[in-house]
Amino acid sequence: MKLLSSITAFFAVLFFATNIVAELSHNHDVTTEYSVDNETTIMKYEPEIEWNRDQLELSIGTLISIYDSSATDSFMLFDTLDEGSRPDVNLELTYDMGDMIPLPVEVYGKTSWDIDASERKDIKLGATISF
């Protein structure tokens, strides 16, 4: 019951936040994948909230495992809130430099927060040139 309440509250916040603030958006990806060589199936859910302002974008998301046929307990969704199984919270800030220089360059900084260990993971800074 606690999990259902948490999930309901999460989706309510996403719905109301994106309808009130036009610069916020949310994405939900559910991916199912079958590995032919290993004969395993996985399913994962990736919710993400994005804030866009001109060339600046901030995104916060996570990866939640739903199913893994190779695991002892295949259906993993209900283990998400258990200690040791909590997903990391990913944070990424990107800036499109296309208006400043004549190349399609995007610079970024990203990190994640390990909920179980209560610590920040590695910070990565980089740039992407698209062509």
Side-chain angles (χ1 to χ4, degrees), residues 51-76:
W51 176 77
N52 292 303
R53 181 70 164 202
D54 299 325
Q55 292 90 358
L56 186 65
E57 179 182 306
L58 174 67
S59 65
I60 299 172
T62 190
L63 173 65
I64 299 171
S65 296
I66 297 174
Y67 178 81
D68 185 349
S69 65
S70 65
T72 305
D73 184 12
S74 299
F75 194 70
M76 306 166 80

Side-chain angles (χ1 to χ4, degrees), residues 88-101:
D88 294 342
V89 176
N90 304 317
L91 177 68
E92 184 171 352
L93 182 66
T94 59
Y95 187 79
D96 185 359
M97 309 245 336
D99 290 345
M100 300 173 79
I101 57 176

